[in-house]
Amino acid sequence: MSAGARSGTLEEGQVRAMFDRIAGPYDLMNSVMTAGLHHRWRERAADLARVGPGSRALDVATGTGDLAIELASRGAEVVGSDFSEGMLDVARRKSPPTPALTWEQGNALALPYPDASFDAATVGFGARNFSDLPQWLREMARVVRPGGRVVVLEITTPQNPPLSTFFSLWFDRIVPLMGRFDDAYTYLPASVKRFPGPEALAGELVAAGCKDVGWILTAGGIIAIHHGRVPS
Ligand SMILES: C[S@@+](CC[C@H](N)C(=O)[O-])C[C@H]1O[C@@H](n2cnc3c(N)ncnc32)[C@H](O)[C@@H]1O
């Protein structure tokens, strides 16, 4: 097991290789680990992106594409972007056959899109993996038009019992057992622990230039959905 996986900090190449490796079972593991609740959390994130027919959204670190597909189901034109071709392959295979959805390779820290080219940008469970949070958020704010929305869906560490007790049992004892099979499950809880809490992440959105920043906590405080507006 690598020291990077234990500390929740892997280099970009290692993160990409890890997701290429686990792309096949990723959706199944997601459903098992969240008891299928992740679909509901994505719906709430998509609500906060406020997109619909006539709008254009970017889902950064789209992975196997569930959040992008949810955004497209609201009538928006959506680009799902990720640097792992393995994850994008799964997204392409399960994508509904619609020209409204496109899948493109790209790095969240240097998005290959012009300024103000989307009405909203979202990230689901990707932010923990980025090596430079301020740079990623500046990129999100740059590619969204003035008045558009930035939405971040991420696991967070609950502060109050009983969820904090359950979370610690699940993340500190059960998930690391799966780390015997793949480093990814050692990296997952470690990366959640080192990720900024809701207030600090909101501060990062403000520092990147977002206005009206807020967040909702759901699933007993395990999931945080941050949202902000790019100023006019
Ligand atoms: C935990 S998965 C989340 C996937 C998906 N958004 C979801 O909600 O299930 C994290 C994704 O972030 C991608 N990723 C990590 N760092 C990235 C970067 N710098 N640029 C683009 N994608 C990145 C990984 O390839 C992986 O697909």
Side-chain angles (χ1 to χ4, degrees):
M1 184 191 306
S2 76
R6 271 198 305 272
S7 64
T9 44
L10 293 175
E11 283 166 17
E12 218 170 81
Q14 294 175 304
V15 172
R16 189 196 305 211
M18 177 179 78
F19 283 105
D20 277 342
R21 194 171 69 235
I22 65 170
Y26 178 85
D27 281 354
L28 175 66
M29 290 311 294
N30 231 352
S31 289
V32 170
M33 286 196 291
T34 67
L37 290 171
H38 66 105
H39 293 296
R40 178 73 197 113
W41 305 334
R42 289 176 212 283
E43 282 169 17
R44 294 193 75 177
D47 290 345
L48 290 163
R50 296 191 196 155
V51 293
S55 50
R56 218 170 158 247
L58 173 68
D59 184 39
V60 172
T62 194
T64 58
D66 282 349
L67 183 50
I69 291 169
E70 179 60 39
L71 292 163
S73 75
R74 289 136 194 256
E77 199 183 297
V78 183
V79 178
S81 162
D82 200 287
F83 69 5
S84 158
E85 267 302 332
M87 295 291 270
L88 286 173
D89 272 352
V90 177
R92 287 189 187 102
R93 268 184 268 130
K94 77 179 194 205
S95 177
T98 162
L101 261 171
T102 49
W103 308 103
E104 296 175 0
Q105 196 179 27
N107 192 325
L109 305 186
L111 291 170
Y113 306 105
D115 296 357
S117 42
F118 296 95
D119 298 292
T122 58
V123 171
F125 308 114
R128 265 175 301 116
N129 303 289
F130 303 146
S131 55
D132 187 339
L133 280 192
Q135 170 62 16
W136 151 62
L137 281 167
R138 278 194 298 274
E139 279 294 87
M140 296 276 280
R142 179 184 68 75
V143 299
V144 170
R145 66 160 170 81
R149 312 267 297 171
V150 170
V151 177
V152 184
L153 164 65
E154 192 48 90
I155 307 171
T156 191
T157 306
Q159 300 304 322
N160 301 316
L163 253 295
S164 54
T165 316
F166 167 77
F167 186 86
S168 151
L169 181 73
W170 178 247
F171 255 36
D172 292 339
R173 301 281 157 90
I174 312 288
V175 175
L177 288 181
M178 296 192 256
R180 289 183 190 167
F181 305 106
D182 196 303
D183 258 12
Y185 302 104
T186 303
Y187 168 78
L188 167 63
S191 65
V192 171
K193 274 192 194 148
R194 65 155 189 79
F195 193 67
E199 216 160 311
L201 184 59
E204 298 276 1
L205 264 94
V206 172
C210 292
K211 302 281 182 217
D212 305 332
V213 172
W215 69 91
I216 57 174
L217 291 177
T218 186
I222 290 178
I223 297 296
I225 311 177
H226 284 72
H227 49 94
R229 181 179 58 79
V230 173
S232 305

